Amino acid sequence: MLKAAVDHLSTIPSRSYEIIIVDDCSSDATSQTALDFGKKHPKADIRVITFEKNRQKGGAVKHGVLHSRGKRILMVDADGASQFRDLEHLWKQLDAVQSGEEGVAVGSRAHLVQTEAVVKRSFIRNLLMYGFHFLLRTVGVGYIHDTQCGFKLFTRSSAQQLFESLHIHGWIFDVELLLLAQMLGIPAVEVPIEWHEIEGSKMSLMRDSITMAIDVFVLRANYTLGRWKPVSADKRKTE
């Protein structure tokens, strides 16, 4: 994914860019690999952040986003399941939906739901998928069909509001981001992208599905009771 990102971004000289890699205590030499790549591509602005203590996926992404410097910020998984060139589809759709300084473009695999890759999944895997989608509708984020795709583009203002407000750092942090966007009136658009399944997922199907379901109820309860509140752009300006 790193090479694909640099290759693509290098073809658009009108845009400057930086790439932030957050290594959340990985055991596969992610940091060193990224540093070595950076030495071979000195014109690419690459920064590597290595955690000494695991912060979960949401915590790692939050740290990277809040330390980014761009006017638009792309959150992308490093596994190569998506095609980096699809950034241009998100960019175009974000141009169309952006209101003032606010907007989010959400990469989506929802159009692939009837493809062979999904149809051939096990019964329990598909049952859990549809059950999770039902839960999302009950908490108010059913307007986005694929909340979990790791390919999302934010305006800087929206990214700062959403990630500063983020409480859930586990697998469903994306759900909280989209719930917050709805609460703050930030426009969001779902954009179909290319995607293929990558072997070696770190998720435990049953354990993590139960954890995700619990987290959905926790975040809905905390926002409903007013214990958690989003950080709006106006509030940030007064602090």
Side-chain angles (χ1 to χ4, degrees):
M1 177 59 80
L2 184 54
K3 184 178 185 303
V6 171
D7 287 348
H8 177 78
L9 293 169
S10 298
T11 66
I12 311 173
S14 60
R15 285 186 211 152
S16 60
Y17 70 89
E18 66 176 354
I19 298 174
I20 299 177
I21 297 145
V22 184
D23 182 353
D24 192 24
C25 299
S26 67
S27 58
D28 57 2
T30 293
S31 293
Q32 191 58 52
T33 300
L35 290 170
D36 291 343
F37 182 90
K39 291 177 182 178
K40 294 177 182 177
H41 299 79
K43 292 184 179 180
D45 185 357
I46 298 175
R47 291 191 286 158
V48 180
I49 300 170
T50 306
F51 290 156
E52 293 184 354
K53 182 179 180 181
N54 184 277
R55 300 191 187 185
Q56 299 183 289
K57 183 178 179 180
V61 174
K62 178 178 181 176
H63 188 89
V65 167
L66 293 180
H67 286 81
S68 64
R69 298 169 290 186
K71 292 182 179 179
R72 286 188 170 179
I73 301 167
L74 178 69
M75 175 193 100
V76 56
D77 288 344
D79 60 4
S82 54
Q83 299 296 316
F84 196 87
R85 62 178 177 267
D86 282 341
L87 165 64
E88 300 313 311
H89 298 314
L90 271 67
W91 197 280
K92 182 178 180 180
Q93 291 302 314
L94 185 53
D95 282 341
V97 77
Q98 184 173 338
S99 176
E101 297 182 358
E102 310 301 340
V104 181
V106 180
S108 175
R109 305 157 297 184
H111 62 294
L112 301 172
V113 73
Q114 295 301 323
T115 60
E116 186 178 7
V118 175
V119 171
K120 284 190 173 182
R121 284 178 173 176
S122 67
F123 171 77
I124 187 64
R125 194 180 187 91
N126 281 324
L127 178 65
L128 290 170
M129 178 183 72
Y130 287 115
F132 183 62
H133 290 169
F134 173 77
L135 279 179
L136 296 183
R137 288 194 294 272
T138 66
V139 299
V141 291
Y143 71 103
I144 296 293
H145 297 92
D146 182 7
T147 60
Q148 302 309 108
C149 182
F151 203 82
K152 295 179 174 68
L153 181 66
F154 306 83
T155 63
R156 181 173 184 80
S157 177
S158 293
Q160 289 176 332
Q161 291 178 74
L162 297 175
F163 281 92
E164 284 185 12
S165 302
L166 189 69
H167 292 86
I168 298 289
H169 289 175
W171 292 107
I172 68 153
F173 77 96
D174 306 76
V175 175
E176 186 178 4
L177 291 175
L178 295 171
L179 178 61
L180 286 163
Q182 189 175 51
M183 294 172 70
L184 291 167
I186 295 173
V189 60
E190 193 166 10
V191 185
I193 64 169
E194 291 184 48
W195 175 85
H196 62 278
E197 189 126 18
I198 299 294
E199 296 295 328
S201 171
K202 295 179 180 179
M203 286 191 68
S204 168
L205 190 60
M206 291 303 297
R207 183 191 67 229
D208 289 325
S209 294
I210 293 170
T211 300
M212 289 166 73
I214 292 171
D215 283 348
V216 167
F217 286 114
V218 167
L219 77 87
R220 178 76 270 186
N222 277 287
Y223 282 112
T224 299
L225 296 173
R227 294 185 61 197
W228 294 352
K229 296 180 180 180
V231 178
S232 67
D234 291 337
K235 184 177 180 181
R236 289 182 65 252
K237 290 177 182 178
T238 60
E239 291 179 347

